[in-house]
Amino acid sequence: MDKNSVSCEHLNLRQTAKFLKQHDRFVILTHTSVDGDALGSAYALYYGLREIGKSAMVLLADDIPPKYGYFATETVTFPTEGAVIVSVDLADKRLMGKYEEEFGDRVDLSIDHHISNTEYAARLLLDANAAAACEVVYELLEQMDVNINDMTAKALYTGLATDTGCFKYANVTAKTHLIAAQLYEYNIDAAEINRLMFDTKSKNLLDLERQVLQTAEYHFDNRCMLLAVTAEMQQQTGCSGTELDGIAVISRSLEGVLAGVTVKQTGEDVFKVSLRTYPPLSAAEICKRLGGGGHVAAAGATVHGTLSQVKESVLNAVAAVMEEADAGSSVN
Amino acid sequence: MDKNSVSCEHLNLRQTAKFLKQHDRFVILTHTSVDGDALGSAYALYYGLREIGKSAMVLLADDIPPKYGYFATETVTFPTEGAVIVSVDLADKRLMGKYEEEFGDRVDLSIDHHISNTEYAARLLLDANAAAACEVVYELLEQMDVNINDMTAKALYTGLATDTGCFKYANVTAKTHLIAAQLYEYNIDAAEINRLMFDTKSKNLLDLERQVLQTAEYHFDNRCMLLAVTAEMQQQTGCSGTELDGIAVISRSLEGVLAGVTVKQTGEDVFKVSLRTYPPLSAAEICKRLGGGGHVAAAGATVHGTLSQVKESVLNAVAAVMEEADAGSSVN
């Protein structure tokens, strides 16, 4: 529909519901490196629109990881010409992957929960207080008075659970739990979903974790834990990409730790550094010194050098930001 | 009050509220090896009774583990003579530890969620569908129209979260989430509670986990994972008791695993075997063959012998129950 929109109209739930009801064919897009909330919000919207007789398809730049197969499957396809383009959980059109060129400048509606949404779409339904895009989609389906079926409920629950570490993190609100309670009214088998999402590891990943724990270094009176994932470990175990996300969680699980560092080799003399911090440290500040960036509690940078050089650079950056924090606390 | 009660009167919420309001001095007991729900339900009741001007004390057979210090502290003490004795989260008087002799036969009221409650008390408020004793205490405080303060809310949330693996397990219901939503209205910092409860490990425990992962054995086409915790590992890292509970979780996290086995040395040639299973296997069935028992998904046994003898016994029991399950599924 719209093309190269220059302004982005902010819609509320009622206006968004009205917009969706006025049209009949929808293409749903989300971000690459799909996760539970990206797939959950895309498929919940897909099932919801079909419940009210609309045509809809989910268009993914990635293959669907098999573990999401209980709600996410290949959908019908149809020509996108004339269809309404909706994105979910997509803060920036650059995260569309291979679909950016075709759809980047013609998204009709973005449904999101990222405060960093770049307003690339003609219309935006944004709730930056929502823990997951699935919270926003749930409220939208409620507003549209759409029947929620078991598949919709599974998709929504998956997004809620995965974006909150199973209701563990600071983004959870009373509303998150209220929606979860509603979803328990359907046949979702939440315990099995949670087992798949949180408690299932491949033998190779368990082996990689064992190897990574052997690299553990403790610095600055145990306020910093450092783990290394070498190229050799990744080759030997066949674990890579998002499979390794859990390693950064280990690095910040040490009692009393303020900075959890994971140094992951991505090429010869190239390492991806992941920082997880607790107050008063800022992961973003540390990574800025390494040429990277991110959020206060989680940030990253790419650093060139040998493993020991990279470790030294990171520890220097951590030390500098720790000193600033110590100085700040003694001044105040 | 009562002594050697022979019959146990089942009360509903309204009757229990009335009983508590009729009395003025309360001693609150719970089970040994205290966990988040034992302490949470004990302290929530304690804070609640004090809000309505009652005298109350929590009497613990264990020291309070420091990580629960944000809501569980030493309470005032007073002579127990003439006080009403209330137990929470205590299925059997034999779990009272050092207080069994003094209070085992004079509990006036048991507030519980274990279907296995042995009716040792004169009165019983039981909700076997509640995920945590804290669910029952929350409903009781609501029924009594007691003001819930921030400490009460922290105690209740802790019990809810810890007994459900942070809302992950099959015992969670819509009600669990509804109560959690209510508790978010107070100043509880749930994310910090969850970090303390779920994402904080000592350096020694991380080291023990590393050593335990090195013992990993895979059997029966990876349908069984076996981990060993030797006495030497426990001595070297100083980790023991409930600190080791997380190891059993690792043993069942392998993709496709049906039986996760942890073999923990408790003496010379004595091992505590922990079984975690998924359908169609029954942990209780496997442990029965080893002289132990438990639930369908989690059970245990104490087995004598060297580590390799114990492993062999356990694997034989797993194999036998697997064969039965396979035979059962081919018949059906």
Side-chain angles (χ1 to χ4, degrees):
Chain A
M1 294 203 345
D2 299 272
K3 210 173 169 184
N4 291 314
S5 344
V6 281
S7 72
C8 170
E9 187 187 358
H10 282 252
L11 303 187
N12 60 28
L13 284 169
R14 196 182 50 74
Q15 292 166 323
T16 310
K18 190 177 165 196
F19 174 77
L20 292 174
K21 288 200 165 177
Q22 279 168 343
H23 298 88
D24 290 310
R25 290 169 63 243
F26 299 89
V27 174
I28 303 167
L29 304 167
T30 186
H31 62 79
T32 52
S33 301
V34 284
D35 56 22
D37 193 34
L39 287 169
S41 54
Y43 278 83
L45 183 61
Y46 166 78
Y47 292 125
L49 289 170
R50 286 170 61 95
E51 277 285 336
I52 52 171
K54 308 287 187 186
S55 294
M57 63 187 268
V58 177
L59 206 54
L60 296 173
D62 312 307
D63 290 337
I64 300 169
K67 69 173 178 175
Y68 299 108
Y70 59 92
F71 73 87
T73 51
E74 295 291 325
T75 65
V76 291
T77 55
F78 48 74
T80 62
E81 190 70 28
V84 172
I85 311 298
V86 182
S87 73
V88 291
D89 199 34
L90 178 71
D92 189 320
K93 65 183 181 182
R94 287 176 299 177
L95 301 171
M96 281 185 182
K98 68 180 178 189
Y99 289 122
E100 184 188 347
E101 200 181 324
E102 187 176 353
F103 296 110
D105 292 320
R106 54 171 283 216
V107 179
D108 297 299
L109 170 66
S110 164
I111 300 171
D112 198 12
H113 72 123
H114 294 97
I115 185 90
S116 57
N117 188 293
T118 60
E119 306 197 335
Y120 58 86
R123 296 163 196 81
L124 173 61
L125 171 65
L126 176 71
D127 180 356
N129 292 318
C134 277
E135 270 193 42
V136 190
V137 171
Y138 174 83
E139 292 199 294
L140 181 59
L141 296 180
E142 285 279 286
Q143 176 72 41
M144 292 170 74
D145 206 18
V146 166
N147 178 50
I148 290 181
N149 61 38
D150 289 345
M151 288 295 255
T152 320
K154 285 180 191 190
L156 290 169
Y157 180 84
T158 301
L160 248 56
T162 54
D163 253 27
T164 60
C166 213
F167 308 96
K168 210 195 271 178
Y169 299 145
N171 57 353
V172 173
T173 65
K175 197 197 274 177
T176 319
H177 278 292
L178 286 174
I179 296 173
Q182 296 303 316
L183 298 175
Y184 265 79
E185 303 299 333
Y186 301 89
N187 185 18
I188 59 172
D189 199 350
E192 178 61 14
I193 291 176
N194 293 328
R195 169 157 104 99
L196 284 168
M197 295 297 119
F198 302 107
D199 290 337
T200 303
K201 294 176 182 179
S202 70
K203 194 172 157 183
N204 287 331
L205 184 59
L206 282 165
D207 189 39
L208 182 93
E209 287 191 359
R210 177 186 62 77
Q211 293 187 41
V212 169
L213 279 173
Q214 280 173 303
T215 71
E217 292 178 17
Y218 304 94
H219 298 276
F220 313 123
D221 290 329
N222 297 332
R223 290 183 297 166
C224 175
M225 180 176 184
L226 190 149
L227 298 171
V229 189
T230 64
E232 198 188 339
M233 292 177 195
Q234 297 174 60
Q235 277 149 24
Q236 195 211 308
T237 59
C239 294
S240 61
T242 55
E243 253 200 304
L244 302 178
D245 289 352
I247 303 291
V249 175
I250 300 175
S251 76
R252 61 157 207 188
S253 67
L254 175 69
E255 200 171 14
V257 83
L258 295 180
V261 181
T262 310
V263 170
K264 186 177 77 186
Q265 192 166 7
T266 54
E268 206 185 320
D269 291 340
V270 190
F271 291 82
K272 170 82 170 59
V273 176
S274 297
L275 254 294
R276 296 290 181 273
T277 55
Y278 289 112
L281 296 193
S282 159
E285 277 300 307
I286 295 167
C287 288
K288 215 169 101 185
R289 287 169 179 265
L290 299 164
H295 303 283
V296 173
T302 298
V303 183
H304 293 257
T306 64
L307 177 56
S308 57
Q309 286 167 340
V310 171
K311 280 185 190 174
E312 201 189 324
S313 302
V314 178
L315 290 173
N316 284 339
V318 171
V321 173
M322 268 188 183
E323 268 172 40
E324 281 176 8
D326 286 346
S329 69
S330 64
V331 169
N332 294 330
Chain B
M1 292 201 346
D2 299 273
K3 211 172 167 183
N4 291 315
S5 347
V6 282
S7 73
C8 171
E9 185 189 357
H10 282 251
L11 304 187
N12 60 27
L13 283 170
R14 197 181 49 74
Q15 293 166 322
T16 310
K18 190 177 165 195
F19 174 77
L20 291 175
K21 288 198 166 179
Q22 279 168 343
H23 297 89
D24 289 309
R25 289 169 63 245
F26 299 89
V27 174
I28 303 166
L29 302 167
T30 186
H31 62 79
T32 53
S33 302
V34 284
D35 57 20
D37 194 34
L39 287 170
S41 54
Y43 278 84
L45 184 61
Y46 166 76
Y47 292 125
L49 290 170
R50 285 170 61 95
E51 277 284 337
I52 53 170
K54 308 287 187 187
S55 294
M57 61 189 267
V58 177
L59 207 54
L60 297 173
D62 312 307
D63 291 335
I64 301 168
K67 70 173 177 174
Y68 298 109
Y70 59 93
F71 73 87
T73 51
E74 295 292 325
T75 66
V76 291
T77 56
F78 48 73
T80 61
E81 190 69 29
V84 173
I85 311 296
V86 183
S87 73
V88 290
D89 199 33
L90 178 71
D92 190 318
K93 65 182 181 183
R94 287 176 299 175
L95 301 171
M96 281 186 183
K98 67 180 179 189
Y99 290 122
E100 184 187 348
E101 201 181 324
E102 187 176 353
F103 297 109
D105 291 321
R106 54 171 285 216
V107 179
D108 299 298
L109 170 65
S110 165
I111 300 171
D112 199 11
H113 72 124
H114 294 97
I115 185 91
S116 57
N117 189 292
T118 60
E119 306 196 336
Y120 58 86
R123 296 164 194 83
L124 173 61
L125 171 65
L126 177 70
D127 180 357
N129 292 318
C134 277
E135 270 193 42
V136 190
V137 171
Y138 174 84
E139 292 198 294
L140 181 58
L141 296 180
E142 285 278 288
Q143 175 72 41
M144 293 170 75
D145 205 17
V146 165
N147 178 51
I148 289 180
N149 61 38
D150 290 345
M151 289 296 257
T152 320
K154 284 179 192 192
L156 290 169
Y157 180 84
T158 301
L160 249 56
T162 55
D163 254 28
T164 59
C166 213
F167 308 96
K168 211 195 271 178
Y169 300 145
N171 57 354
V172 173
T173 64
K175 197 198 276 179
T176 320
H177 278 292
L178 285 175
I179 296 174
Q182 296 303 317
L183 298 175
Y184 264 79
E185 303 299 334
Y186 301 89
N187 184 19
I188 58 171
D189 199 349
E192 178 61 15
I193 292 176
N194 293 328
R195 170 159 104 99
L196 284 167
M197 296 298 118
F198 302 106
D199 290 337
T200 303
K201 293 178 181 177
S202 69
K203 194 172 157 183
N204 287 331
L205 184 58
L206 282 165
D207 189 40
L208 182 92
E209 287 190 1
R210 177 186 61 78
Q211 292 186 44
V212 169
L213 278 173
Q214 280 173 306
T215 72
E217 291 178 17
Y218 304 94
H219 299 275
F220 313 122
D221 290 328
N222 297 332
R223 290 183 298 163
C224 174
M225 180 177 183
L226 190 149
L227 297 171
V229 189
T230 64
E232 198 189 340
M233 290 176 196
Q234 296 174 62
Q235 277 149 24
Q236 194 210 312
T237 60
C239 294
S240 61
T242 54
E243 253 199 303
L244 302 178
D245 289 352
I247 303 292
V249 175
I250 300 175
S251 76
R252 61 156 207 189
S253 66
L254 176 69
E255 199 170 12
V257 82
L258 295 180
V261 181
T262 310
V263 170
K264 186 177 76 186
Q265 192 166 5
T266 55
E268 205 184 321
D269 291 340
V270 190
F271 291 82
K272 170 82 171 56
V273 176
S274 297
L275 254 294
R276 298 289 181 275
T277 55
Y278 289 112
L281 296 192
S282 159
E285 277 300 309
I286 294 167
C287 288
K288 215 169 101 184
R289 288 169 178 264
L290 298 165
H295 303 282
V296 173
T302 297
V303 183
H304 293 257
T306 64
L307 177 55
S308 58
Q309 287 168 340
V310 171
K311 279 186 191 175
E312 201 189 325
S313 303
V314 178
L315 290 173
N316 284 339
V318 172
V321 173
M322 268 188 183
E323 268 172 39
E324 282 177 8
D326 287 346
S329 68
S330 64
V331 168
N332 293 330

